[in-house]
Amino acid sequence: MPVRALRTASSSQNGVGAFILQCKRIDFHYCDWAGSSRGMNLFLTHKLPQFARANPQIEISVSPRPRKHPVIKGTYINGREKAICVRNLEKEQILQKAELLRDASGEKLKRVTKPVRSTNESVRGIWSPYHGAAHTI
């Protein structure tokens, strides 16, 4: 009797075998002179080294942008970019924005129409009041 291989019943999904962080690069742009970059300059000197040590899988680059507001840009493995302007924010708020970019998936924001999205249809089917035994009142 020949041995036959089983067909794959499921597709691989992120987080099932190993987690792959979607953010691959974060760019910090700042201005040395402008007052709107004061919080970004404090963040770069005090909080960025700890953030970089905690996230070695993310490439971090810092570049000056003279006479412009400070911006954080996140680049994702699906090719998309997200940018957040952080003008006049404190260093703790900028850290929260950097963590937001780190944890984002890179996908566009979508309106959720159904609370549950599944690749498999329901085993029991769609309920209808006409199924089952008739009820008399």
Side-chain angles (χ1 to χ4, degrees):
M1 170 179 238
V3 177
R4 293 182 359 192
L6 297 174
R7 277 190 269 144
T8 305
S10 65
S11 60
S12 61
Q13 296 173 346
N14 195 10
V16 175
F19 180 74
I20 299 171
L21 194 65
Q22 300 296 304
C23 182
K24 66 178 181 179
R25 176 185 174 137
I26 296 181
D27 301 323
F28 295 93
H29 301 287
Y30 70 99
C31 176
D32 283 330
W33 177 78
S36 64
S37 290
R38 185 180 305 121
M40 177 63 100
N41 292 332
L42 290 172
F43 171 79
L44 294 176
T45 55
H46 294 93
K47 298 279 186 182
L48 184 63
Q50 294 142 6
F51 181 77
R53 259 185 259 115
N55 301 291
Q57 67 275 21
I58 299 175
E59 178 185 346
I60 295 177
S61 69
V62 179
S63 62
R65 241 176 80 181
R67 294 178 297 281
K68 304 258 186 200
H69 289 301
V71 174
I72 304 174
K73 287 184 182 178
T75 308
Y76 299 90
I77 60 175
N78 63 359
R80 289 189 43 86
E81 282 189 0
K82 287 187 180 182
I84 298 178
C85 181
V86 291
R87 69 173 183 221
N88 298 325
L89 294 182
E90 299 297 323
K91 59 184 177 183
E92 291 81 15
Q93 294 171 318
I94 295 174
L95 178 63
Q96 289 175 350
K97 297 294 183 184
E99 290 172 348
L100 178 82
L101 284 175
R102 175 198 66 193
D103 297 338
S105 67
E107 294 291 324
K108 281 188 172 183
L109 297 177
K110 299 176 199 169
R111 171 170 277 141
V112 179
T113 55
K114 292 183 177 180
V116 176
R117 195 175 74 193
S118 174
T119 56
N120 300 330
E121 292 297 322
S122 172
V123 176
R124 300 175 81 185
I126 299 172
W127 181 83
S128 171
Y130 302 112
H131 291 132
H135 297 286
T136 58
I137 298 176

